[in-house]
């Protein structure tokens, strides 16, 4: 359902609640007004994205993918502030099945912008992992450095430290792989 339609429906329901209160039906008026408020809340926070986040926290990516697939055209159905989060959630789901395909979703999420800095850090850290998988060390270092800057509350400090350790392992593997003894 389009976001504008949600807004119109919420206004109509809230207007009905106010009308019921005006005619003396306070119990029904308040109930209908709260129902309109909940409908208005879905204008700002899409219910499919909230449920998908819940299932991602429970590590059930199949269910999360089902709820995100219910959003057919995210530009019409979501508030503009949610576009980046939608792409990041799609990227997180894709990264579990096909990590290299998830890169475009993380880049799109960063391009559209997200309001919380730790979400930006998570997207950059995921891009660093993808860059490491592609053996692009310079790009991976850049993303890890940017992720460390964006992680102001140190929520991803352990993951950043682990990625740096993996980067060091990548250097050691490269040295061993290029070693050719002379006989």
């Amino acid at each position: 359902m389009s976001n504008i339609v949600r807004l119109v429906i919420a206004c109509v329901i809230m207007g009905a609640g106010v009308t019921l209160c005006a005619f003396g039906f306070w119990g029904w008026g308040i109930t209908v007004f709260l129902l309109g408020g909940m409908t208005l809340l879905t204008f700002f926070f899409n219910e499919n994205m909230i449920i998908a986040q819940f299932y991602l926290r429970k590590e059930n990516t199949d269910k999360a993918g089902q709820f995100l697939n219910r959003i057919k055209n995210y530009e019409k159905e979501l508030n503009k502030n949610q576009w980046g989060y939608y792409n990041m959630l799609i990227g997180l789901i894709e990264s579990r099945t096909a990590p290299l395909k998830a890169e475009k979703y993380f880049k799109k999420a960063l391009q559209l912008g997200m309001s919380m800095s730790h979400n930006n850090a998570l997207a950059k850290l995921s891009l660093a992992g993808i860059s490491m998988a592609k053996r692009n060390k310079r790009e991976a270092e850049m993303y890890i450095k940017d992720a460390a800057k964006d992680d102001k509350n140190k929520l991803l400090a352990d993951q950043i430290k682990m990625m740096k350790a993996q980067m060091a392992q990548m250097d050691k593997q490269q040295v061993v792989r290029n070693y050719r003894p002379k006989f």
Side-chain angles (χ1 to χ4, degrees):
M1 176 182 328
S2 176
N3 235 4
I4 301 299
V5 173
R6 288 175 195 258
L7 188 61
V8 170
I9 290 172
C11 290
V12 168
I13 292 173
M14 290 176 83
V18 170
T19 305
L20 284 169
C21 287
F23 285 119
F25 300 105
W26 285 96
W28 284 108
I30 292 172
T31 304
V32 170
F33 189 79
L34 289 174
L35 184 66
M38 287 176 52
T39 307
L40 182 65
L41 195 61
T42 64
F43 175 78
F44 297 106
F45 304 104
N46 190 293
E47 68 277 0
N48 290 320
M49 284 188 48
I50 292 172
I51 295 170
Q53 287 175 348
F54 170 76
Y55 281 119
L56 272 177
R57 286 187 184 131
K58 297 284 183 181
E59 308 252 344
N60 191 346
T61 56
D62 295 332
K63 284 275 197 178
Q66 287 175 356
F67 279 99
L68 284 177
N69 287 335
R70 289 184 181 180
I71 300 173
K72 300 296 180 205
N73 186 359
Y74 71 91
E75 293 175 348
K76 287 185 179 179
E77 293 182 34
L78 300 177
N79 197 359
K80 194 169 187 172
N81 298 335
Q82 292 181 319
W83 293 357
Y85 291 106
Y86 173 77
N87 281 299
M88 188 176 80
L89 289 176
I90 294 286
L92 287 173
I93 291 171
E94 282 289 321
S95 68
R96 302 214 175 163
T97 56
L100 298 178
K101 289 183 182 178
E103 181 179 17
K104 67 179 178 180
Y105 293 111
F106 288 124
K107 285 185 177 180
K108 183 82 171 177
L110 288 172
Q111 177 189 0
L112 292 171
M114 294 176 281
S115 60
M116 295 187 180
S117 63
H118 64 270
N119 288 327
N120 286 328
L122 177 63
K124 289 176 183 175
L125 198 60
S126 299
L127 283 170
I130 293 169
S131 296
M132 284 173 57
K134 289 181 174 181
R135 295 274 186 205
N136 191 347
K137 183 181 175 191
R138 183 174 294 153
E139 188 175 309
E141 286 175 343
M142 179 193 66
Y143 281 129
I144 289 174
K145 190 183 300 181
D146 288 345
K149 284 180 191 174
D150 284 343
D151 189 27
K152 295 179 177 101
N153 296 331
K154 305 297 181 208
L155 296 173
L156 299 171
D158 293 336
Q159 286 85 354
I160 291 171
K161 200 179 295 182
M162 185 178 69
M163 290 288 271
K164 287 181 180 178
Q166 287 177 350
M167 186 87 69
Q169 286 288 65
M170 192 170 82
D171 289 339
K172 288 178 185 177
Q173 288 175 353
Q174 195 170 17
V175 169
V176 170
R177 196 174 41 183
N178 290 335
Y179 177 72
R180 291 187 184 104
K182 295 180 182 179
F183 292 110

